[in-house]
Amino acid sequence: MKIIFRLFLLISLAEIMVGCSFHSYQSVLTEVKIPNYRKPDSLKVVDEEQSAASMFWQDYYRDKNLSALIDTALARNLSLYSSILQVEKANSYVRKSNSSFWPSVDIRINQNEIQRANPKDAFNQHGIGLSLNQWEIDLWGKLTSNKRAALANTLRQEATMQGVKVKLIADVATLYYRLIGLDTKLEATNDIIAKNRAYLTEQERLIQRYENEMTKGNLKRGSDDFISRSNIAVEQAKAELYRAKAIKPDIQAQIFIAENAMNLLLSRDSGTIPRTRIEDILTPELMTDTINIGVPAELLHFRPDVMAAEYAVREAFHLKDAARSAFYPSLTLNATIGTEESYNTRWSDFSGTIVYNLFAGLTQPIFNKGNLQHNKRLRDLESQQKLADYQQTVLKACMEVSNTLVYYQMNYAKVTNIAKRYEALRKAFDYSRELYQKKTATYLDVLAAQSQLLQTRLDMADSFVNYYLRRIELYKALGGGSMQ
């Protein structure tokens, strides 16, 4: 017994030493030169601690309604939950790879009764014992490589899960600001419809009164011209009314679809989507808004796709190592210990015979139908492919940041100018109404100002949405929120 335990202890120590001294992953494999992404001259590059990429999403998206929706999505979204389960599956493979270092242990209890012609010659054989089966000693690091590959796969799945989380946050924010833009369009359309209806009702009464007075002969010559000019204004007002009515159903349909999409992200069939009005967002603070972008090297720290690609390179490296180790001899150990007894009685106290067995075997593969060679070649190609994919991912990440920076800067300039244009047209519209009420301007002047104001308000809603979409895309492209 002491000899067996000493041998087991010696083999275990040797296994640990050999496994720890085997090939380790070299980070130089993924040390690629990260190009500087192009950026507008008006944007500055800051240190990592000040970059938007390192901000929590709660600090980046400060709207309370949006924060509540994101919290709900993170807690209930089924796609994110599926990704979390994928991580758990990868963790189970890591635990399984850890178990491969140990033997299969079985407990044996046997009872064998033997009957003879002479009842006095009948006896039984019985015993109890333990057996250790196929304990493979990791001489060449094959088991260690498989374990490290499983761990790299888990880290890759975790990075992928973080990518799903970042995308989910971006999708919720995107739909939220689209709904605000659509609300603005619907409000502007309803406002135009209400104003034109009120004017048409007023003009119908006025024209009817003039016609009655003309019939009675109480009006002077020239009243016909007044009625004709009024009719022109009425028809123009009707045209604006029908234009607004034609726009409204499309806006309502888009709101309905966007709310359904938001509820899908929240993993519910229906529910209200509370949101802020655009006037509460287009504040003076927005006109001085800046986003710190950070240096290009931060992409390796924050972008989930870059992290996942790097872990894929690690996994492929260790799988290639395991495939190469399969060509070397494998040492396996089998052992049993227990009792074997034969008595005329059925059972005894098992103090009779102790039997133990120890077998060590060395197996060298010679010809396995080309499977080993094929597997080694396949793993080598996969390793090269994963490295190329990693390099491509880094280049793509830099391009995405560069493109998004340009879009963000251009839309920032656009939304500020349209907001100023809207404010100027709103004042012009108010002035035209004042002149109309003083009888120094016609309603055609009011309609012209109103038409420009409506179109500008619709343009402002679009530019507002596009600005915030670029803002969301920039945060996502920098990998913001992935490490939270």
Side-chain angles (χ1 to χ4, degrees), residues 290-302:
T290 57
I291 296 180
N292 297 325
I293 59 175
V295 296
E298 290 177 4
L299 295 175
L300 292 177
H301 299 295
F302 295 105

Side-chain angles (χ1 to χ4, degrees), residues 35-137:
N36 290 325
Y37 44 65
R38 299 169 60 198
K39 64 180 183 63
D41 295 334
S42 57
L43 293 179
K44 63 180 181 179
V45 173
V46 298
D47 295 333
E48 177 177 327
E49 292 78 10
Q50 299 174 313
S51 171
S54 60
M55 294 177 63
F56 288 166
W57 65 261
Q58 293 94 333
D59 297 326
Y60 193 78
Y61 301 117
R62 298 181 180 179
D63 190 302
K64 294 182 179 180
N65 291 325
L66 176 56
S67 296
L69 291 171
I70 292 176
D71 276 329
T72 303
L74 293 177
R76 302 182 57 177
N77 183 264
L78 296 177
S79 296
L80 181 60
Y81 178 64
S82 177
S83 183
I84 293 173
L85 293 179
Q86 190 67 28
V87 174
E88 291 299 320
K89 287 170 59 178
N91 281 327
S92 68
Y93 281 106
V94 173
R95 291 190 290 270
K96 183 177 181 298
S97 64
N98 289 332
S99 301
S100 64
F101 286 88
W102 302 102
S104 173
V105 180
D106 300 323
I107 186 170
R108 172 184 57 83
I109 299 177
N110 65 288
Q111 169 70 30
N112 184 19
E113 295 189 6
I114 301 176
Q115 299 291 334
R116 299 289 176 86
N118 187 353
K120 294 182 178 180
D121 295 333
F123 67 97
N124 67 75
Q125 294 177 337
H126 60 272
I128 186 171
L130 292 175
S131 62
L132 280 68
N133 304 314
Q134 297 297 319
W135 189 1
E136 182 176 356
I137 309 304

